[in-house]
Amino acid sequence: MNVPLLWSCFGVHPEIEVKIHLSFCAIFFPSLVIRGEKDEQAVLCSKDKTYDMKIADTSNMLLFIPGCKTPEQLNEDQASCNIIHSQIAGFSNNYWELRRCRPKLKKLRKLLMEDPYEGPDSQNDQTLTFSKYTTEDLLSLIQASEEEIMHQLQVIDACKIGGYWRILEFDYEMKLLNHVTQLIDSESWSLSKVPLRTCLEELGSLEPTEMIEHILLSYGRKYIDDGEVYFEMHEDKICRAIAQMLLQNAVKFNLSEFQEVWQQSVPEGMTTRLDQLKGLALVDRTSRPETIFLLKVEDLPEDNQERFNSLFSIREKWTEEDITPYIQDLCAEKQTVGVLLTKYARSSMQNGVKVYNSRRPIS
């Protein structure tokens, strides 16, 4: 994406500034869209990328000539290379400059969590509609391209219910997952070959079949074998969800006790490991005894500086291994965690281990 491509959508010269009014809703153009509410910095989105918009000054006077042709277009038509008299409609000394940026997707989960789906028997779900969002609603509210939004909906395991995108309320999600894992255990199925048809037949009387299939899609990989649909269950994701269930009601958990209870709580044949909890929970190895507590990356601020301020208020010094899961999503295109740490933190050695602390005082 470049500046000339932006202007081609308006049919004007690539370097001419176009005054664009940003309203509450997104403003659509043939292949691009400017997104941003009144209190947000506007971004421009193509079908699959997001760009910051910034006005840049130029020392040259830029002329606005309707129907203007670029040098490349004139070269294509050598026969018509005559002097053309054109009227100048306007001028400017600045233009929009586009720079690729991370899509602003944290708001997506926040919106869907206003009204999580608690199951078909929830009375609130049958009466409230103001906190539910269609695809069109999300496209007008989220500062990201359509492909980035749709991909993020998959990442957060959202599903469409009655035409609205919804996230399952965590307790209801665990209820569905428990139904599936208990059936797997009772039928002695391999975790790599869970039959969809039998799951729907056995569990359809307990929960809507679309919810059973959704939980299988969320925690497994769908494939077809000999004409039948099966799921290979993701061990790490199931173990991670059960860990979250155990940790969410405790401020801190004795690490050794947690690991024992966690292993006993997962389906038979699965093995729990602390590396399954990256970006979900943090281990404090300086306390005696060692403890673990819930710290979800999705609950942290989206702005880079605010994210680092939040992390350094939780813990003064971080190892690179501990902090990486909590800042990796901040990396721009071709940017590394090391670059972020160099910009927002200072390093030092502590007991022979490199640690990072804030560059500025944290109140």
Side-chain angles (χ1 to χ4, degrees):
M1 176 68 66
N2 53 33
V3 174
L5 177 57
L6 172 59
W7 300 134
S8 68
C9 292
F10 297 95
V12 299
H13 191 280
E15 293 184 337
I16 298 299
E17 177 195 4
V18 177
K19 305 288 187 181
I20 303 173
H21 174 67
L22 301 178
S23 65
F24 178 84
C25 297
I27 306 174
F28 291 90
F29 297 103
S31 60
L32 301 171
V33 57
I34 294 174
R35 293 192 170 111
E37 297 190 64
K38 289 182 178 180
D39 60 342
E40 296 172 330
Q41 179 69 39
V43 298
L44 182 135
C45 301
S46 66
K47 185 173 179 60
D48 61 348
K49 294 179 179 65
T50 304
Y51 299 85
D52 276 327
M53 300 178 65
K54 182 181 178 182
I55 291 182
D57 294 328
T58 174
S59 58
N60 297 324
M61 178 71 73
L62 305 175
L63 304 179
F64 180 16
I65 304 174
C68 176
K69 292 186 177 181
T70 65
E72 292 79 7
Q73 291 171 322
L74 290 173
N75 289 336
E76 292 174 0
D77 189 9
Q78 295 286 347
S80 62
C81 288
N82 301 317
I83 296 176
I84 302 172
H85 297 278
S86 299
Q87 184 175 0
I88 298 172
F91 63 88
S92 177
N93 288 316
N94 48 43
Y95 59 92
W96 287 110
E97 182 178 86
L98 305 182
R99 180 172 296 178
R100 179 79 185 273
C101 67
R102 295 193 325 272
K104 297 171 173 52
L105 294 165
K106 188 168 286 292
K107 185 178 177 182
L108 177 59
R109 185 180 185 89
K110 181 181 178 181
L111 290 176
L112 297 186
M113 286 304 294
E114 291 175 355
D115 184 23
Y117 184 65
E118 299 177 359
D121 299 328
S122 170
Q123 292 187 351
N124 287 340
D125 203 73
Q126 297 168 7
T127 57
L128 300 178
T129 59
F130 61 86
S131 292
K132 297 176 184 175
Y133 301 92
T134 63
T135 301
E136 290 70 26
D137 294 332
L138 296 178
L139 287 173
S140 69
L141 293 168
I142 306 301
Q143 291 185 289
S145 69
E146 182 173 355
E147 285 191 14
E148 289 166 332
I149 291 173
M150 299 310 292
H151 173 71
Q152 186 66 13
L153 287 168
Q154 288 185 325
V155 170
I156 63 177
D157 296 322
C159 61
K160 261 191 175 181
I161 300 174
Y164 298 100
W165 284 103
R166 309 292 298 277
I167 287 181
L168 302 190
E169 191 270 333
F170 186 68
D171 288 342
Y172 181 59
E173 183 177 336
M174 290 299 97
K175 179 182 176 183
L176 291 170
L177 181 61
N178 187 52
H179 285 323
V180 170
T181 55
Q182 284 188 350
L183 180 62
I184 292 171
D185 184 58
S186 66
E187 298 290 340
S188 299
W189 289 331
S190 166
L191 291 168
S192 63
K193 197 168 186 178
V194 177
L196 172 63
R197 184 164 55 87
T198 307
C199 284
L200 298 183
E201 290 172 353
E202 295 292 327
L203 302 176
S205 60
L206 301 175
E207 298 291 345
T209 55
E210 58 269 24
M211 289 295 97
I212 300 299
E213 185 166 4
H214 173 69
I215 211 69
L216 287 167
L217 284 167
S218 298
Y219 288 90
R221 179 185 65 85
K222 185 178 182 179
Y223 67 97
I224 297 176
D225 183 24
D226 198 23
E228 290 287 332
V229 178
Y230 294 93
F231 285 86
E232 178 183 8
M233 306 308 291
H234 297 318
E235 178 176 317
D236 287 353
K237 192 168 184 179
I238 293 173
C239 291
R240 182 183 176 93
I242 292 173
Q244 180 177 340
M245 180 180 66
L246 295 172
L247 290 169
Q248 66 179 0
N249 295 320
V251 177
K252 285 193 175 183
F253 211 126
N254 180 295
L255 179 60
S256 60
E257 291 179 2
F258 165 75
Q259 288 178 295
E260 184 178 346
V261 173
W262 184 25
Q263 182 59 59
Q264 293 172 353
S265 303
V266 300
E268 187 176 352
M270 290 191 176
T271 303
T272 59
R273 305 184 315 277
L274 288 177
D275 64 6
Q276 295 166 337
L277 307 185
K278 290 180 178 179
L280 175 69
L282 191 62
V283 174
D284 184 356
R285 299 198 181 277
T286 62
S287 65
R288 293 293 179 267
E290 295 178 342
T291 57
I292 185 170
F293 59 95
L294 201 65
L295 180 61
K296 297 188 288 183
V297 65
E298 59 261 30
D299 292 338
L300 297 172
E302 192 169 30
D303 176 76
N304 288 18
Q305 187 61 65
E306 290 179 13
R307 174 77 64 88
F308 276 91
N309 290 347
S310 179
L311 290 172
F312 287 125
S313 67
I314 293 168
R315 175 180 287 182
E316 183 181 359
K317 296 181 185 293
W318 291 75
T319 63
E320 184 172 351
E321 181 182 4
D322 283 347
I323 202 171
T324 293
Y326 293 103
I327 62 173
Q328 205 155 28
D329 63 310
L330 299 180
C331 292
E333 191 176 27
K334 297 180 181 178
Q335 191 178 41
T336 65
V337 166
V339 172
L340 281 176
L341 289 171
T342 300
K343 183 175 181 180
Y344 294 99
R346 67 175 78 244
S347 64
S348 60
M349 298 301 292
Q350 182 174 289
N351 299 324
V353 178
K354 182 182 279 190
V355 294
Y356 294 88
N357 63 286
S358 178
R359 284 189 172 274
R360 55 178 64 185
I362 301 296
S363 56

